[in-house]
Amino acid sequence: MKYRFIDDLTSDVMFEVYGKSLKEVFENAAEALFSVICQIKKVEPKVSREIEMEAESAGELMFDWLQELIARSDIEGMFFSKFEVLEVSETRLKARIWGEEASPEKGETVVKAVTYYGYSFARDGKGYRVRVSLDI
Amino acid sequence: MKEKLKRIGDFEWELDENSRERMKAKARIIANDAVMEAIEDDAVQQLTNVATLPGVVSPVVGLPDMHWGYGLPMGAVGAFDSEHGIISAGLCGFDINCGINLIKTDLTSDEVKPKLKELVAELFRNIPAGVGAKGKLKLSEDELKDVLVRGVDWAVEKDYATKEDKERTEEKGRMEGADPSKVSALAMKRGGPQLGTLGAGNHFLEIQEVSNIPDRETAKRWGINEEKQVMIMLHCGSRGLGHQVASDYLRIQEQAVKKYNIWLPDRQLACAPVNSPEGQDFFAAMKCAVNYAFANRAVMTKWVRESFENVFKREWEEMGMKTVYAIAHNIVKLEEHKVNGEKRMVYVHRKGATRSFPDTPVIIAGSMGTASYLLKGTETAMEKTFGSSAHGAGRVMSRHAAIKKFRGTEIASGLEKRGIVSKSTHPKVMAEEAPEAYKDVEAVVDSVHGAGVSLKVARMVPLGVMKG
C-alpha cells in the first residue's frame, strides 16, 4: 500500500504514507497529496518540472516538499500526477514532477496548506511511515 | 473537559481558571442545549489551551458554530494584551479574511425563479470557480502590491467596486499598515493569478430569497423591505496568497516560540510576542491578505452584477444590487475593549467569527441548501464576546467522512426536489458540503440571538447555489 486516508477530524484530510525507501515515501506522499487536489488518474504527464530543496531533517524535508508542491500547483496553474525522486538524502531532495495544465473538470478540491496537526515522520524495520494532515 | 462547564444562563457556559493548569483566563461558550450537545470535547479543550497563552485577556470565547480547528477552534475568539500578549498566525486560520459579501436586489423570487438555471449558468461562466480555474485578471507585481496595500480602494479606482460598496465593507475594505515587503515572494506568486476567483471547498455563491424579517426597522435601513426579495451571498477568502502567508508565519512563529521561550500546551498554537518582529511582521502581512480578500470579493461582486444584467437585460443599479455588507471572519484586529471596567487595547483574533459591534451587520451563512441570517451587532457582544458573533453552521463531520457517506449527485437532486438549482465543478464538492455534515444553523442563530450577542434581522433561504 502506498498510502491510505484516515478519518480523523471535522475539517481536515489526513493520510498516512508508506515507503520502503526515502525515494518511495517522498514519491508516494506527492501522489497522496495530488489525489486530494485533483482526479490524479485523469491528469496526463505532459510536461515536467524539476524541484530541488534542502531542510534540516527528513521530517522537515517532507513537510517542505508537500508545501512546495501545493504552491507550485497554484503558481503554475498545473495538476501533477507523476513524481520521480532523482536524488534524496535526509536533508536534500531533487525530483522531477510531471503533469498538465489545471482545469476544474479534473479538479477535486483546494488544499490550503500542510499542517503540523498529527504530523509524524517515522522509520522502522520495514521502511518509512509519514502521517500528514491538510487544511482544505 | 465539557463536564467542567458551568451553566451561567440559557445560552451561556463558562470554564473558570481552575479548569486546568496554567489557565490565566476563563473560557466562555455561547450555546443552547442542542448546540452544546454537538460541540466536541476536543474543541472545548482547545479553548482552555488558548487560555494559557501569555497576555491572554479573559474570556477566551467559543461561539455556537465552534468545532475543532488548528490550535483554536473555528468559531472562536482569543484576545491578547497589546503590550504583554501574543499574536498568532494559527489563531487567525489558514484562509485569512475568509468572509462574506451580502448583496441585495430589488427583484423578487417570482421574477428570478423562471430564469434561475440560466442565471446560475451565467454566474458560472463569469466567475472562475473550482480548483484549477484560471483567473481572468492579469496583474503585474506592482499592481498586486497595490491591491495588498489598498484593498477595495484599488477596486474602486479600477471600477470594480463603487464608493458605496467600500463604505459597506468592514474596515472600509482596507486595513491600514499592510506591508507587502512582509509577504513572501511565494505568497505573491500564488496569489497573483487568483484574484477574482472563488476557489473550492466550502466557498460558494448563493442566490437567496428573504423568507422572514424579524426586525423590519433595521432590515429597512439596510435595504431589505419585503419577503421574497432576492439576495446574493458570496463566501470566499484570500486564496493561495493568504494560505501561503499563514503557512509562512506559522513556521516563523514556531521559531519565535523557541526564541522567546514561550510555553505552549500545543505546538499548533505557535505565536510571537505582540511587539516582536515575528509578531508585527505577521500582522503587516496578514493585513495584505485581508485587503486582497476584500478586493477579491469586490471584483466578483462586479461580475455578479454583470451576470444579472446579462440575464435580466437591465442595469444593475436599476435592479437595486447594492452591497448590504461585506464582513471578514478570519482576522486579527487591534481594538479597544472594556476589560474589568477599563478601556484596553487588545489584539482580537477572530477565527470563524464575525465582528458584532453595536448596530453593525453580522452575516451567518448556513450550510448548503439551508437558511442564512442577517443579524445586527449589540452592546452585549462588546461585554461578552469582544464584539463577536458566529460565522456559520459549523461542521460536525469531516469532509472526508462526508464524501464517503454521501453521493454528490444525490445531494444535488435532493436540492432540486426542493426547487434549489445547484451547479458545481464536480459532484464530490456537493457531497463534502452536504447539509448533514453541519450543525443546524437555526440552533446556532438561536444561540447568538438568545445570548444577545447579535440579534436576528432577516432570514434568507437558497434558490440557487454555485460551488467551486
Side-chain angles (χ1 to χ4, degrees):
Chain A
M1 187 170 27
K2 289 180 175 177
Y3 56 87
R4 73 183 173 98
F5 286 92
I6 299 166
D7 195 16
D8 178 75
L9 26 108
T10 52
S11 64
D12 288 285
V13 167
M14 184 179 259
F15 55 76
E16 201 164 73
V17 187
Y18 313 95
K20 289 193 199 78
S21 61
L22 272 177
K23 173 177 159 64
E24 240 180 61
V25 79
F26 274 87
E27 289 171 353
N28 292 347
E31 196 178 313
L33 171 67
F34 277 93
S35 76
V36 176
I37 295 174
C38 58
Q39 297 161 59
I40 192 165
K41 284 182 185 148
K42 293 187 189 164
V43 175
E44 291 177 37
K46 287 183 184 163
V47 282
S48 75
R49 297 283 185 270
E50 206 166 279
I51 293 182
E52 270 191 85
M53 51 203 318
E54 287 181 28
E56 283 176 11
S57 66
E60 294 284 311
L61 191 62
M62 173 62 83
F63 195 93
D64 290 354
W65 161 243
L66 296 173
Q67 196 72 285
E68 175 74 19
L69 289 170
I70 293 168
R72 280 286 181 109
S73 175
D74 262 5
I75 293 166
E76 307 210 19
M78 284 183 67
F79 290 148
F80 298 103
S81 56
K82 184 182 161 195
F83 312 90
E84 192 185 343
V85 171
L86 305 170
E87 293 166 31
V88 65
S89 70
E90 297 268 318
T91 57
R92 218 184 136 264
L93 171 86
K94 188 176 171 188
R96 183 160 283 279
I97 59 175
W98 285 261
E100 63 171 302
E101 194 180 332
S103 62
E105 294 73 30
K106 293 184 182 179
E108 285 267 321
T109 197
V110 171
V111 172
K112 293 173 186 164
V114 187
T115 82
Y116 288 114
Y117 171 74
Y119 181 76
S120 68
F121 186 100
R123 185 182 187 175
D124 58 25
K126 292 179 196 161
Y128 295 88
R129 191 178 71 242
V130 184
R131 194 171 266 221
V132 177
S133 87
L134 305 173
D135 198 278
I136 64 169
Chain B
M1 190 58 78
K2 271 175 93 172
E3 74 284 355
K4 293 185 182 167
L5 280 164
K6 286 189 193 113
R7 181 164 214 152
I8 55 168
D10 287 345
F11 304 93
E12 224 175 305
W13 310 70
E14 269 185 12
L15 281 167
D16 64 30
E17 290 89 337
N18 303 317
S19 303
R20 61 166 287 166
E21 281 183 5
R22 291 179 184 251
M23 253 175 101
K24 300 195 225 13
K26 286 180 185 171
R28 175 177 293 154
I29 298 176
I30 304 293
N32 65 11
D33 288 306
V35 164
M36 184 47 79
E37 185 88 1
I39 291 174
E40 320 112 284
D41 195 64
D42 285 353
V44 179
Q45 175 80 36
Q46 287 190 316
L47 293 182
T48 68
N49 289 344
V50 172
T52 68
L53 296 178
V56 63
V57 180
S58 197
V60 177
V61 178
L63 294 156
D65 50 346
M66 75 181 251
H67 63 95
W68 191 97
Y70 191 77
L72 178 69
M74 293 301 296
V77 183
F80 297 88
D81 184 82
S82 61
E83 282 177 26
H84 309 293
I86 55 93
I87 187 164
S88 165
L91 300 192
C92 178
F94 280 100
D95 197 358
I96 297 166
N97 191 1
C98 185
I100 298 174
N101 285 27
L102 181 66
I103 303 146
K104 66 165 269 281
T105 75
D106 289 337
L107 304 172
T108 66
S109 53
D110 293 336
E111 291 169 277
V112 170
K113 273 179 184 168
K115 298 231 172 191
L116 204 50
K117 274 199 175 148
E118 194 188 329
L119 184 58
V120 171
E122 181 67 15
L123 288 164
F124 229 91
R125 252 194 304 279
N126 283 337
I127 299 172
V131 59
K134 300 274 175 294
K136 298 198 285 190
L137 305 178
K138 298 278 172 280
L139 269 65
S140 67
E141 197 181 321
D142 283 345
E143 199 167 14
L144 180 60
K145 283 182 181 166
D146 202 23
V147 172
L148 302 189
V149 173
R150 298 200 300 136
V152 174
D153 279 339
W154 169 85
V156 172
E157 185 188 293
K158 298 287 174 187
D159 209 24
Y160 287 109
T162 65
K163 283 186 180 151
E164 213 178 342
D165 291 329
K166 174 185 154 68
E167 290 302 313
R168 293 183 180 186
T169 302
E170 185 170 336
E171 295 285 324
K172 300 209 186 308
R174 172 183 184 164
M175 265 184 112
E176 294 299 332
D179 180 355
S181 75
K182 304 300 180 192
V183 175
S184 70
L186 196 59
M188 298 281 283
K189 279 192 200 159
R190 276 182 81 175
Q194 292 184 333
L195 190 73
T197 60
L198 186 66
N202 63 342
H203 294 154
F204 65 82
L205 198 158
E206 210 166 77
I207 301 165
Q208 308 171 334
E209 66 171 322
V210 174
S211 67
N212 52 314
I213 308 176
D215 177 354
R216 287 197 181 268
E217 184 267 318
T218 307
K220 201 170 178 188
R221 272 197 286 131
W222 294 346
I224 297 163
N225 298 309
E226 56 184 2
E227 284 79 359
K228 290 194 167 185
Q229 191 170 339
V230 169
M231 313 284 287
I232 298 121
M233 188 173 272
L234 173 61
H235 176 219
C236 76
S238 50
R239 312 288 288 110
L241 185 130
H243 309 159
Q244 192 63 42
V245 166
S247 296
D248 290 342
Y249 280 93
L250 273 170
R251 174 145 303 189
I252 289 166
Q253 294 189 342
E254 282 245 325
Q255 297 305 316
V257 168
K258 291 176 203 153
K259 181 174 160 189
Y260 299 103
N261 202 16
I262 300 170
W263 182 86
L264 292 184
D266 174 359
R267 185 184 180 186
Q268 293 167 39
L269 294 171
C271 59
V274 281
N275 291 320
S276 65
E278 294 87 346
Q280 285 305 313
D281 288 357
F282 165 68
F283 198 37
M286 181 216 71
K287 289 171 174 174
C288 290
V290 166
N291 292 343
Y292 176 97
F294 280 138
N296 189 33
R297 292 195 292 272
V299 166
M300 282 185 280
T301 299
K302 178 177 169 104
W303 295 338
V304 168
R305 287 169 172 155
E306 287 176 354
S307 302
F308 271 71
E309 285 181 337
N310 293 343
V311 170
F312 293 99
K313 314 288 179 216
R314 291 165 68 188
E315 300 285 320
W316 68 264
E317 291 93 340
E318 205 189 310
M319 291 182 277
M321 296 181 70
K322 291 183 175 177
T323 300
V324 175
Y325 212 71
I327 53 103
H329 53 224
N330 279 351
I331 197 165
V332 183
K333 303 231 266 197
L334 182 59
E335 292 173 349
E336 188 181 81
H337 285 275
K338 239 187 208 172
V339 181
N340 298 328
E342 273 179 45
K343 283 182 182 171
R344 257 168 89 178
M345 295 304 287
V346 290
Y347 283 90
V348 180
H349 295 65
R350 292 195 182 93
K351 183 175 180 185
T354 307
R355 188 186 66 176
S356 180
F357 285 2
D359 206 31
T360 60
V362 171
I363 303 162
I364 299 183
S367 51
M368 190 174 63
T370 66
S372 295
Y373 278 87
L374 175 65
L375 303 94
K376 77 170 175 184
T378 62
E379 202 57 57
T380 308
M382 302 309 284
E383 290 158 18
K384 289 187 176 173
T385 57
F386 296 100
S388 314
S389 186
H391 82 305
R395 292 193 85 89
V396 287
M397 190 187 289
S398 76
R399 294 202 165 101
H400 182 59
I403 290 168
K404 278 202 292 189
K405 187 161 180 183
F406 306 110
R407 289 178 64 92
T409 46
E410 283 169 15
I411 300 289
S413 63
L415 292 174
E416 200 179 336
K417 274 185 199 141
R418 291 165 50 208
I420 302 169
V421 175
S422 67
K423 194 165 162 61
S424 66
T425 46
H426 78 99
K428 254 193 198 174
V429 101
M430 302 297 282
E432 66 181 52
E433 293 302 312
E436 291 84 352
Y438 286 84
K439 284 183 203 139
D440 175 15
V441 70
E442 306 291 347
V444 169
V445 171
D446 283 347
S447 299
V448 292
H449 181 90
V453 296
S454 51
L455 300 172
K456 295 176 193 175
V457 173
R459 178 180 187 269
M460 286 86 69
V461 292
L463 299 172
V465 185
M466 164 180 167
K467 296 202 59 82

